[in-house]
Amino acid sequence: HDNMKEVLKNKTDIEHIMRSALNEDGFELFYQPKVNTITGDISGFEALIRLKAHPISPGQFIPIAEERGLINNIGRWVTLNAIKQISLWREKGLEGKRISINFSSEQIRDHGYIDFLIASLNEYQVEPKDLEIEITESIFLEETEVTLLYLNRLKAIGLNISLDDFGTGYSSLSYLTYMPVDMVKLDKSLNDKFLEADSKGLIDALISLAHCLNLEITAEGIERVDQYYKLKEGGCDYIQGYLFSKPLKVEDIETIYYKNMLDKIV
Ligand code: C2E
Ligand code: CA
Ligand code: CA
């Protein structure tokens, strides 16, 4: 019943909850492994934000944060904490895996962001190649030149750029030929719909398309082993989903950091 109450909270309540979370250390990051399809090794982790004290999902509060002008502060908090985490894990001997963070299209208007990012990387002696930024197609609705310049600056620093939720937006392919993107993430809804026996060809085609554009490809929201085998056959590079692991707390990631995730399905 607590859950119901939370769901019914209005935007202004959620805004206040987010404001206090920013001031009082009320957010935390969970991490979900991204698994190399062939080897089963964990290649990296996606950082996903949570409210420590409230069962309100980011799918619910992030759009409100964007609307109420809180996304820049949240985005910086996520950036700094992911960078800190890379350095904390390195101190424990856990290294070599990239963390990806979600970047809301609104954040392109946070003018100090790139300087903040560089300063944070320097402070914690983290190499840019260990960090990846996940953008969504809506960023291409912004002025193309501004976006291109912005993404090129991120690339120039040495970060990887990943295009999230691929296949759900307005998917114009032309921008993929000139935007500096390294990876596409095939959305769960596409995988759910097209990994069935008779329509798998579409997924195979999208994987080939990504590879033709020199992009790597991750399939998201994979829950079943038959989906895994189909994606492997189609040449998909990485898999993310409950089949291998839900997003986990830091301590739980530490116990599986070097594990082979294929052990889970054989
Ligand atoms: P997303 O970036 O597409 O993240 C993937 C979502 O799918 C996550 O939900 C993850 O927990 C969920 N997921 C992963 N594997 C499976 C699976 O096998 N089955 C199912 N049913 N779900 C799976 P989550 O953590 O609730 O995040 C929802 C969305 O909120 C994210 O979608 C992203 O758009 C946004 N978000 C989360 N963290 C952040 C953040 O730090 N910053 C920003 N700007 N947005 C964030
Ligand atoms: Ca994402
Ligand atoms: Ca996604």
Side-chain angles (χ1 to χ4, degrees), residues 182-193:
D182 304 286
M183 159 106 70
V184 293
K185 298 187 75 178
L186 210 50
D187 193 69
K188 179 178 194 307
S189 61
L190 277 188
N191 291 317
D192 285 346
K193 197 165 164 193

Side-chain angles (χ1 to χ4, degrees), residues 46-152:
E46 178 175 1
L48 293 154
I49 196 169
R50 298 288 182 264
L51 277 163
K52 286 182 189 167
H54 302 268
I56 311 172
S57 75
Q60 198 179 357
F61 66 74
I62 291 291
I64 301 171
E66 290 169 350
E67 194 182 304
R68 304 282 167 113
L70 292 173
I71 195 63
N72 290 353
N73 284 338
I74 292 177
R76 287 183 182 215
W77 184 89
V78 170
T79 304
L80 181 61
N81 281 275
I83 288 170
K84 275 189 195 169
Q85 192 59 61
I86 293 170
S87 110
L88 284 169
W89 276 337
R90 187 180 51 205
E91 282 168 20
K92 294 186 172 185
L94 305 173
E95 54 193 327
K97 303 190 182 190
R98 196 177 271 155
I99 290 181
S100 58
I101 54 177
N102 289 284
F103 183 85
S104 160
S105 300
E106 293 287 320
Q107 289 175 256
I108 203 166
R109 280 183 283 277
D110 178 356
H111 292 299
Y113 179 76
I114 291 186
D115 288 337
F116 174 84
L117 177 69
I118 294 170
S120 307
L121 289 166
N122 286 337
E123 184 179 353
Y124 291 92
Q125 295 288 297
V126 166
E127 291 192 52
K129 68 161 178 52
D130 291 333
L131 195 66
E132 179 166 305
I133 299 248
E134 296 194 3
I135 57 170
T136 59
E137 288 170 331
S138 65
I139 205 166
F140 301 125
L141 295 172
E142 307 284 327
E143 270 182 278
T144 313
E145 260 158 55
V146 174
T147 304
L148 184 59
L149 255 160
Y150 197 92
L151 297 182
N152 277 333

Side-chain angles (χ1 to χ4, degrees), residues 147-201:
T147 304
L148 184 59
L149 255 160
Y150 197 92
L151 297 182
N152 277 333
R153 282 182 71 197
L154 292 175
K155 274 311 301 175
I157 296 167
L159 269 74
N160 259 53
I161 300 176
S162 185
L163 179 62
D164 207 353
D165 303 338
F166 186 66
T168 59
Y170 66 106
S171 298
S172 150
L173 290 178
S174 67
Y175 60 67
L176 276 180
T177 64
Y178 62 87
M179 287 287 179
V181 170
D182 304 286
M183 159 106 70
V184 293
K185 298 187 75 178
L186 210 50
D187 193 69
K188 179 178 194 307
S189 61
L190 277 188
N191 291 317
D192 285 346
K193 197 165 164 193
F194 294 109
L195 276 177
E196 299 315 313
D198 46 353
S199 50
K200 169 181 179 293

Side-chain angles (χ1 to χ4, degrees), residues 32-46:
Q32 186 180 34
K34 189 186 280 184
V35 177
N36 181 306
T37 311
I38 292 172
T39 66
D41 293 327
I42 298 174
S43 67
F45 304 96
E46 178 175 1

